[in-house]
Amino acid sequence: MAQRHLDLGWLRTFDAVGRLGSLTRAAQELGLTQPAVTYQIRRVEEQLGLSLFHRSQGGSRLTEAGEVLFRAVRASVERIDDAAQETLRKARDPAIRIFTDYGFAAFWLMPRVADFRRLHPKAEVHIVASQSLEDELERDTDAAMVFGARGDFPPSAKLLIPERVVPVCAPGFLERYGPFDDPAQFANVPLLHLETTEKARWLTWATWLAAHGVAREPEQGDLGLNTYGFVIQAALAEQGLALGWIGLVDHHLAQGGLIQVGPEITRHDRGYWLVPSPSAHGTTAALLDWLINET
């Protein structure tokens, strides 16, 4: 079914003629007569005192002035159409959409959303997870919960969990390779790395070890994985030492599946931030407030 567009008068008419290069085709697209389209274009030209199109038997080609106006009108029409569709979507689908990464979704967010839905059984929550966070703040979501520094986010962002990182491993791995009395010993055992195509915004083994005066890069025997869930699964399977983010590995530490085997590093300027949509209200605002209180 064709999308219904808001009536933007001359803007949509000018956009159609500029895109299609033809008064006739623009009239057909808009469901108007060609004289009606011609009239609207002439009215705009009269108001500006400029010709916007070169007219010929082959169609209507934008003048230099027309090109300038067309670029602005095209962008405006697209943004208005997108906003209108978003308004309709939210009216039809009141679900709360939250964007985050896979690890935070699995280990922190989903258990708490489950608790919230027990208190608010009619609330519909969609968690949108991605390992690539390059465009997280541009997505069609009601809030983003993403990792970074204070300067990465707008003033409305709230810090949910500061970055607190400890080395962890399974009890069986500790029996084979431990005990670990000094971080320098980690340089001689298999390490589990969270791989990323972007510049890491979180602590890596290289930066964690460097903070303790140990130089070590990934080497043979290590294991690289592209999601944090895989890293934790590999650690539970006694495949190596992992970096454990407090807030994400708490359950495994409490249950004894993982053991802290080294000192903690805390960076209070970094962590997981809640970035709400400016339009968040009602049940969305209630959920976000509830999640903030959970921290």
Side-chain angles (χ1 to χ4, degrees):
M1 184 173 63
Q3 292 183 353
R4 294 192 320 177
H5 295 298
L6 293 176
D7 180 11
L8 304 180
W10 74 268
L11 289 177
R12 196 172 296 286
T13 302
F14 178 76
D15 171 67
V17 178
R19 278 187 295 106
L20 301 173
S22 166
L23 295 168
T24 301
R25 290 200 297 273
Q28 291 171 344
E29 178 180 283
L30 298 171
L32 300 173
T33 64
Q34 181 176 327
V37 171
T38 302
Y39 173 73
Q40 288 199 0
I41 296 300
R42 283 179 176 167
R43 282 195 61 191
V44 178
E45 290 178 325
E46 289 171 0
Q47 290 176 32
L48 293 174
L50 296 169
S51 293
L52 300 176
F53 292 94
H54 297 294
R55 295 168 175 82
S56 67
Q57 292 285 2
S60 299
R61 182 170 51 87
L62 288 162
T63 64
E64 184 177 348
E67 286 280 4
V68 173
L69 184 60
F70 176 72
R71 286 195 294 270
V73 169
R74 177 89 284 258
S76 299
V77 169
E78 286 182 336
R79 291 184 63 184
I80 291 170
D81 284 344
D82 288 345
Q85 292 303 312
E86 170 65 4
T87 301
L88 290 172
R89 184 193 67 76
K90 289 190 173 182
R92 293 191 304 265
D93 179 14
I96 305 167
R97 292 168 57 84
I98 299 175
F99 176 78
T100 189
D101 63 57
Y102 291 118
F104 191 77
F107 297 121
W108 193 92
L109 182 57
M110 289 176 64
R112 286 162 177 80
V113 166
D115 291 340
F116 177 81
R117 294 185 72 244
R118 279 190 282 270
L119 298 173
H120 303 269
K122 293 186 178 180
E124 183 179 351
V125 182
H126 294 177
I127 297 174
V128 183
S130 172
Q131 197 62 19
S132 176
L133 303 180
E134 293 178 351
D135 60 343
E136 66 268 17
L137 300 183
E138 303 300 325
R139 289 176 174 265
D140 179 21
T141 53
D142 297 295
M145 295 180 181
V146 286
F147 192 95
R150 166 73 271 183
D152 295 333
F153 305 109
S156 60
K158 295 180 174 62
L159 181 63
L160 286 174
I161 305 175
E163 185 177 32
R164 299 171 54 203
V165 181
V166 296
V168 298
C169 68
F173 186 89
L174 181 60
E175 289 177 9
R176 292 205 312 275
Y177 292 93
F180 301 110
D181 301 316
D182 189 299
Q185 294 174 270
F186 296 164
N188 303 315
V189 301
L191 302 180
L192 303 174
H193 301 273
L194 176 60
E195 296 181 336
T196 177
T197 57
E198 310 162 14
K199 181 179 179 181
R201 290 177 283 183
W202 44 81
L203 283 168
T204 64
W205 269 119
T207 53
W208 190 95
L209 288 169
H212 293 89
V214 181
R216 183 184 186 292
E217 296 296 330
E219 58 184 43
Q220 189 173 4
D222 289 355
L223 182 59
L225 303 115
N226 68 346
T227 71
Y228 192 59
F230 291 163
V231 171
I232 296 304
Q233 289 300 315
L236 292 169
E238 304 179 6
Q239 295 298 299
L241 281 174
L243 290 176
W245 273 259
I246 300 301
L248 304 188
V249 297
D250 301 38
H251 173 76
H252 294 298
L253 291 174
Q255 296 296 316
L258 295 176
I259 300 172
Q260 179 178 342
V261 292
E264 175 184 309
I265 289 182
T266 300
R267 299 196 295 181
H268 292 287
D269 64 323
R270 292 179 178 268
Y272 276 97
W273 295 80
L274 168 62
V275 187
S277 165
S279 61
H281 64 282
T283 306
T284 300
L287 171 60
L288 300 184
D289 288 342
W290 191 83
L291 292 174
I292 291 171
N293 290 333
E294 280 288 290
T295 64

